[in-house]
Amino acid sequence: MADLVLDYALLHRLAGSMRELKSRIQFDVDTGSRRSVVTSDGSVVDSSQVGNSSLYASLSAFFYACHTPFKDSMDLLDELAGTFDGIAQAYFELDADIAGKVNLDRLRADIAGWQSDTAAYERYLDLKDRQITFQYYDEHGNLVDGSVPVWTGDPVPEPGEVPTSKAGTSPVGSNDVVAVVDDQGRIVSETTTVDSGDGLTYTETTRFTYHDTDGDGEPDVVDFTSTIQHSDGTEETIEKKTNPDGSYVVTSTTDEGTTTSTITSTDDGGSHQVTVDHEGETTTTDIVVTGPDTGTKTVVGPDRTEVYHGNPNTGEWTLVSEESPEDDYVPYTTVTI
């Protein structure tokens, strides 16, 4: 089966063309509602310019009769342009989010490589001037001192400054990541900017907070706050905070309101998640690990219950059953005696 390819840039341009078409004929449609006759440049024509009152009346009636269907078409143009733009923005943002995460992982790999090169360079600096001294008897039987250098390889080049940016191209257009890195090589904040080149843009700025909860000197919990500028101009803030008991809360805030998810790990390696959306409706998600790389996911929402089988480690799930509350309803018939 061939892969589905969606050109969201083309959809976005098509939506713009529809809105441009509407703006060009808007005057004609509005003028026609007053029984006026207009030329191709939008100017109004009076009966004296036509020269025949009967012809002018027929033209006026034609413009008036066409007004309603044309006005309906204008509304449909708006709706269709909005639909195309909505699809384009949704798929663009999905690809932009994935492309941004890939680029951020590439930057992290560059930083890890820089840390390794820095450790090797510091080791070289520590050993390059050292020597091992020893004593030995020469060919005349005399005890003499000797030495050999500890470092015998080629000089290790200085790694330079820590990498803080990663630029690249992808199917979504330009894709740039700029980060702030602390003295331990950890990303403190990063900004991802994706531009389709056709008017669709996506910007995400994330600030990270590192916690050492087990006291071993290494961070084992990472919290964050992300601010996303979506392609439709709206803004979203996503925040993750970890509780002392190991559970964590993810809060998403948009113009519509706030959605909060509380995730708690279970003893079998699964999780229990409770999500309350901006309308106050609750959804619970339970992941149960049943074996190596296997498990079940049960999602109980306001409208239905869904059960999935799959791999909890990779997040790959297949829907195996779905049940709506209406399925449990058994209609009855009233019997009059």
Side-chain angles (χ1 to χ4, degrees), residues 190 204-209 223-227 237-241:
E190 65 86 15
E204 179 177 339
T205 299
T206 302
R207 292 174 175 81
F208 299 95
T209 304
D223 289 336
F224 63 84
T225 300
S226 295
T227 301
T237 300
I238 302 175
E239 184 177 30
K240 172 183 175 278
K241 284 187 176 181

Side-chain angles (χ1 to χ4, degrees), residues 90-172:
Y91 278 89
F92 166 76
E93 295 221 353
L94 177 63
D95 280 358
D97 181 60
I98 294 173
K101 286 180 170 56
V102 169
N103 230 16
L104 181 58
D105 286 340
R106 292 173 61 211
L107 177 58
R108 287 195 174 106
D110 288 349
I111 293 173
W114 174 85
Q115 289 175 313
S116 178
D117 292 343
T118 299
Y121 179 70
E122 291 174 347
R123 180 66 172 167
Y124 161 72
L125 292 179
D126 182 49
L127 298 179
K128 72 182 183 69
D129 296 326
R130 289 190 184 186
Q131 290 189 340
I132 299 175
T133 60
F134 56 91
Q135 290 182 319
Y136 67 98
Y137 291 96
D138 62 12
E139 67 273 13
H140 303 295
N142 299 318
L143 185 63
V144 295
D145 294 328
S147 66
V148 293
V150 173
W151 186 269
T152 58
D154 295 330
V156 175
E158 187 174 358
E161 298 295 327
V162 58
T164 58
S165 64
K166 197 72 177 178
T169 57
S170 64
V172 298

Side-chain angles (χ1 to χ4, degrees), residues 17-27 74 77:
S17 298
M18 289 178 172
R19 294 188 176 104
E20 183 181 0
L21 172 62
K22 178 184 175 182
S23 67
R24 288 183 176 182
I25 64 176
Q26 183 75 56
F27 177 81
M74 300 281 278
L77 272 177

Side-chain angles (χ1 to χ4, degrees), residues 278-313:
H278 64 277
E279 294 180 343
E281 295 187 328
T282 300
T283 299
T284 62
T285 303
D286 288 287
I287 295 178
V288 177
V289 178
T290 57
D293 299 328
T294 60
T296 61
K297 180 172 73 170
T298 304
V299 181
V300 180
D303 301 323
R304 66 179 66 85
T305 297
E306 299 170 340
V307 178
Y308 299 82
H309 288 169
N311 188 337
N313 297 321

Side-chain angles (χ1 to χ4, degrees), residues 185-202:
R186 300 179 305 194
I187 295 178
V188 178
S189 67
E190 65 86 15
T191 297
T192 296
T193 304
V194 183
D195 192 330
S196 71
D198 295 281
L200 294 173
T201 59
Y202 174 93

